Amino acid sequence: MAGEDHEAETEGGFAFDHPTRRTLPLLVAPTFGAEHNAVREGLDPIACWSIGDVRFEFDSSRVKPEVAEETPLLARLIARHARGADPPTLSIFGHADPVGQDEYNKQLSGRRAAAVHALLTRDVARWEQLFSNPFGADDWGQASLREMLAVLGHAGPSAVTDFQSEKGLAADGIAGPKTRAALFASYMDALCLDEAGAPFVVERSGSCQRV
């Protein structure tokens, strides 16, 4: 798919336009009682963007920094299909490895979908929920904070205090809720980029629900 105008593929995902559907006539029969007929237009997918399992830690909803290779593809799709100032409606679906118990994988899939939805919409509170409420092996833990700090240029024993000083926070070296909120927001900005390398945000509407 790579190289075509409306199709792109990376090591961790892909993006492409769906072919235009042929419009079929609607045949509606009359009624003779109190009931009535109703016709409602169904959803018509216009494009698809996907990131693979390689963009998550194994058995985890934590998004890896390499997803920054795929987010510009989404930004391009959104810009191409926007109607004036109105962006297209996005639906997010999560998947997990087929190995393991179905119910566990459903929960992990939902957490992955929530993590991506939060990334795109900058829902820092949702990431805090995922961080603070581990599910099975899906425990973000301190390792996730160290990785985020490293991506933002802060490593070593003073990484937390250096980041806190940079953000104007109390430099106590403890990655508490306020520090995590600032860290999550900065990490999201570093991952969710448009084709020019600038952070982009998807307007939030409704809620993220597991389907």
Side-chain angles (χ1 to χ4, degrees):
M1 293 190 300
E4 295 188 26
D5 226 3
H6 293 173
E7 299 178 353
E9 188 173 9
T10 65
E11 181 182 351
F14 60 81
F16 63 86
D17 287 338
H18 284 274
T20 302
R21 289 185 175 183
R22 183 167 63 94
T23 302
L24 298 175
L26 296 173
L27 304 179
V28 182
T31 62
F32 300 97
E35 71 276 7
H36 63 275
N37 288 324
V39 177
R40 182 173 59 186
E41 185 178 3
L43 293 177
D44 187 11
I46 55 176
C48 179
W49 175 74
S50 175
I51 56 175
D53 288 345
V54 295
R55 294 311 189 223
F56 296 93
E57 293 294 335
F58 177 72
D59 205 6
S60 173
S61 60
R62 178 154 58 99
V63 184
K64 288 184 174 182
E66 290 81 5
V67 79
E69 293 184 33
E70 285 74 50
T71 52
L73 305 182
L74 176 62
R76 184 169 65 184
L77 280 179
I78 292 174
R80 185 160 64 242
H81 291 287
R83 295 180 177 178
D86 296 327
T89 299
L90 305 184
S91 296
I92 298 176
F93 303 89
H95 299 277
D97 195 301
V99 177
Q101 297 295 318
D102 287 347
E103 187 55 37
Y104 178 86
N105 285 336
K106 287 180 182 179
Q107 294 293 328
L108 179 58
S109 298
R111 288 171 67 91
R112 284 183 170 180
V116 172
H117 179 271
L119 168 65
L120 298 177
T121 61
R122 301 302 193 275
D123 189 348
V124 172
R126 180 60 63 90
W127 270 25
E128 177 63 28
Q129 291 175 352
L130 294 170
F131 177 89
S132 300
N133 298 279
F135 173 75
D138 187 18
D139 184 354
W140 290 29
Q142 295 300 309
S144 68
L145 304 183
R146 289 193 294 270
E147 180 178 57
M148 294 179 195
L149 286 165
V151 168
L152 297 173
H154 301 287
S158 64
V160 174
T161 53
D162 290 345
F163 176 78
Q164 290 171 326
S165 297
E166 178 184 287
K167 296 300 179 181
L169 301 169
D172 56 9
I174 301 173
K178 289 185 178 180
T179 297
R180 290 198 298 271
L183 178 58
F184 292 161
S186 297
Y187 183 70
M188 289 173 173
D189 280 343
L191 268 55
C192 198
L193 306 172
D194 61 19
E195 291 188 287
F200 82 94
V201 182
V202 174
E203 183 179 352
R204 192 186 313 177
S205 61
S207 61
C208 181
Q209 298 179 343
R210 178 170 56 85
V211 178

